[in-house]
Amino acid sequence: MRSEFLPFAPPLIGDEEIAEVAQTLRGGWITTGDRAHEFEERFRDYVGAEAALAVNSATAAMHVALAALGIGEGDAVVSTTMTFASTIHVIEHQRARPVLVDVEPDTLNLDPDQVEDAVKRTPEVKAIMPVHLYGHPADMDPIYDIAHRHGLAVIEDAAHSLPARYHDRVIGTPPPGFDQPNLVAFSFYATKNLTTGEGGMLTGAPAIVEQARIWSLHGMSRDAYDRYTSDGSWKYDVVLPGFKYNMADLQAALGLKQLARLDAMQRRRREIVAHYDDAFGPVEALETPYERPHVRSAWHIYLLRLRRERLGLDRDAFMTELRKRKIGASVHFIPIHQHSYYRHRYGLRPQSFPVAQREYERMLSLPLSPAHSDEDVDDVIQAVKEIVRDHPARMRTVA
Ligand SMILES: Cc1ncc(COP(=O)(O)O)c(C=O)c1O
C-alpha cells in the first residue's frame, strides 16, 4: 500500500512557469496588462476562436456571457442537472430561470431530445447551456440545430474540455454558418487541464466578447490598464454596473507557459487513460468511460462506474476503501436536482432525472493528472482491483 496520500489532480508546474511568474512580479505590472492580452491572443489562436476574454474563472466567463447577451429576469436557460453548481448559479445570478434536463447514459451530457422538449414547452427560453462533461463534448449538432430553429444563443460550459474536438471542430469555435450567438467558457482552476490557479476564458464573436469585457471590469468603457499607461488617459466612463472578473498578469504568466506545454500534458493524460482502460476494461464489476466516434475527449476526468450487480459494495463504501488505501478519488457531480437550494426553489425530484440519478449513485472519478507517475497510476489500479476482488457480489439465495 502507498505510504503517502495520492492527490486527485495535482497541477503540473515546471520551472518555466515559476520563472515567468517571477519575471512578471519583477516587471512592475501585476494585474491585467500585456500578459493577459497575450494569453488571450495565444488561447484564441490555439482553439481557433475569433476573440477571447481572460477572466478570473469559468463561472465569471459564463456570467458575463449571459450578461452580454442581455439574458435576465423573465428569461429561461436550458441546461443539465449533471454539472457543477456554478453552471446553474450564473443563471440565478442573472435572475433568469434554469430549466434542467436529464443526460445521455454513455457520456452523461445533456440529452438533445430533452433539450428540444424543454424549449418547446418553455417560451421564455433564450439560451442553451451545454456542459462538455469530463472533457467529452456534448452532442452539439442537434443542439446547434435546435438553437438555430428557435433563435437561441448557445453558451458552452467548456470548463472540462480544453482541448476537445467534436467532429473536425475544436471546442471553443462555432460551426461554420451558425447564425446565433455562441460563447464558450473555459476554466483554469487548480485541477483543470491547464491551470492559472484560478482563471477562465470566454471565446466567441468579437462584438459580444467586447461587450463581455466591459461587464467583466466594472462596466468601464476602457480597462484599468489603459488608464495607467503612458499612452492611456485617466478618463473613463461607466456604461454598465459591471463585475470585477478580470484576469491578472500574474495568472496569465502561468497560463502562457501552461498553454505551451498543454499538448504534452494531454499526451500524458491519454497515456494514463489507456493504462486505466487496459486494467479495468476486462473487470466485469467496472464500467470504463466512453469516447464516441468523431469525438476527441480532453480527458479531464476518468469516470469509473460500478456494476452493482457484480460488486458487494456501493459507491460510497468503494470511496471509503480507496481512501483507506490512500487514493484520492472524487465524484463528479452531485446532480443539481439533489442540492437543497435547487430542490426547494424549483421543486426538483430525482424521478425527473432518472439517468443522472442512477449514474450518480454508481460513479466515481479516479486520480488523473499529467503530474502522476507510472507508479502512482499502478497504485490506483492495484487499489481498485483489490477492492473489487475483496468484495464480490453477494450470492442470490434461490427460493
Ligand atoms: C463543469 C464545470 N463548470 C464550471 C466550473 C467552474 O469553474 P471555475 O472554478 O473556473 O469557475 C467547474 C469547476 O470545477 C466545472 O467543473
Side-chain angles (χ1 to χ4, degrees):
M1 213 204 352
R2 289 180 67 88
S3 55
E4 276 180 24
F5 186 72
L6 180 69
F8 174 68
L12 185 65
I13 305 286
D15 290 341
E16 295 93 330
E17 280 90 338
I18 293 167
E20 192 77 12
V21 172
Q23 199 186 327
T24 307
L25 280 169
R26 290 194 189 96
W29 187 268
I30 58 176
T31 186
T32 310
D34 285 346
R35 288 287 151 93
H37 294 145
E38 188 186 344
F39 185 38
E40 285 173 348
E41 283 167 16
R42 295 262 183 95
F43 190 90
R44 179 199 64 198
D45 294 347
Y46 184 88
V47 298
E50 282 186 90
L53 166 68
V55 285
N56 58 19
S57 69
T59 307
M62 293 188 287
H63 192 187
V64 292
L66 288 169
L69 292 169
I71 292 169
E73 200 150 8
D75 297 332
V77 178
V78 178
S79 193
T80 163
T81 189
M82 190 56 94
T83 186
F84 184 61
S86 78
T87 319
I88 311 305
H89 283 352
V90 293
I91 304 170
E92 291 280 303
H93 294 335
Q94 287 300 103
R95 298 181 190 279
R97 182 164 62 93
V99 177
L100 302 183
V101 300
D102 205 359
V103 295
E104 302 197 275
D106 56 345
T107 63
L108 306 191
N109 280 318
L110 87 180
D111 178 342
D113 290 340
Q114 298 199 29
V115 172
E116 176 103 53
D117 291 346
V119 168
K120 282 186 177 152
R121 65 168 191 269
T122 323
E124 305 82 33
V125 170
K126 294 288 186 310
I128 306 170
M129 285 183 79
V131 180
H132 306 300
L133 204 63
Y134 313 136
H136 191 295
D139 195 6
M140 292 307 290
D141 282 348
I143 292 169
Y144 282 124
D145 182 51
I146 297 164
H148 162 72
R149 283 187 285 108
H150 296 270
L152 307 173
V154 176
I155 302 167
E156 298 169 50
D157 179 341
H160 291 186
S161 52
L162 177 71
R165 294 182 83 91
Y166 177 79
H167 294 282
D168 46 7
R169 243 174 10 86
V170 177
I171 293 296
T173 56
F178 182 56
D179 57 356
Q180 301 299 317
N182 183 202
L183 291 159
V184 186
F186 295 89
S187 174
F188 309 135
Y189 176 65
T191 58
K192 295 297 188 281
N193 291 21
L194 179 162
T195 186
T196 58
E198 298 282 354
M201 192 74 79
L202 185 69
T203 62
I208 316 175
V209 168
E210 283 318 301
Q211 186 68 6
R213 188 183 299 280
I214 294 172
W215 276 106
S216 76
L217 194 63
H218 305 302
M220 292 196 301
S221 60
R222 57 174 64 242
D223 66 28
Y225 181 65
D226 290 340
R227 286 188 295 145
Y228 294 110
T229 55
S230 56
D231 29 284
S233 158
W234 58 268
K235 277 195 181 169
Y236 63 92
D237 182 31
V238 171
V239 295
L240 296 165
F243 313 111
K244 182 67 165 63
Y245 285 164
N246 55 309
M247 176 183 280
D249 269 15
L250 281 179
Q251 293 164 302
L254 192 48
L256 280 164
K257 290 298 164 190
Q258 285 270 291
L259 189 59
R261 66 160 84 226
L262 182 60
D263 291 346
M265 292 198 289
Q266 286 304 117
R267 279 195 292 280
R268 177 62 184 154
R269 264 180 198 278
R270 279 195 291 274
E271 232 171 65
I272 297 173
V273 166
H275 278 308
Y276 282 160
D277 279 349
D278 287 349
F280 305 138
V283 181
E284 286 188 340
L286 304 174
E287 193 173 318
T288 53
Y290 298 87
E291 193 178 33
R292 285 187 181 179
H294 314 300
V295 157
R296 198 151 167 83
S297 175
W299 290 114
H300 176 55
I301 279 167
Y302 190 91
L303 187 82
L304 197 62
R305 286 184 261 188
L306 308 179
R307 294 205 175 98
R308 285 290 286 115
E309 67 282 8
R310 302 201 174 263
L311 199 62
L313 79 180
D314 65 13
R315 187 272 314 278
D316 292 3
F318 203 101
M319 295 287 284
T320 307
E321 290 298 319
L322 278 173
R323 189 154 275 269
K324 274 193 214 159
R325 290 166 177 78
K326 296 195 162 62
I327 304 294
S330 190
V331 172
H332 295 85
F333 290 98
I334 301 171
I336 299 297
H337 67 258
Q338 289 231 340
H339 292 297
S340 57
Y341 173 81
Y342 288 103
R343 221 172 53 222
H344 296 147
R345 181 160 168 82
Y346 296 108
L348 303 177
R349 294 171 320 150
Q351 300 91 289
S352 307
F353 308 94
V355 179
Q357 184 61 32
R358 183 189 69 212
E359 299 306 311
Y360 160 66
E361 287 169 9
R362 67 187 192 103
M363 66 161 65
L364 57 103
S365 315
L366 291 182
L368 178 56
S369 159
H372 286 142
S373 67
D374 286 348
E375 292 71 41
D376 295 333
V377 175
D378 287 343
D379 288 343
V380 177
I381 291 171
Q382 196 192 331
V384 168
K385 283 188 160 177
E386 201 177 278
I387 299 166
V388 171
R389 188 196 63 210
D390 293 351
H391 299 85
R394 285 184 202 96
M395 299 292 273
R396 275 207 211 105
T397 43
V398 181

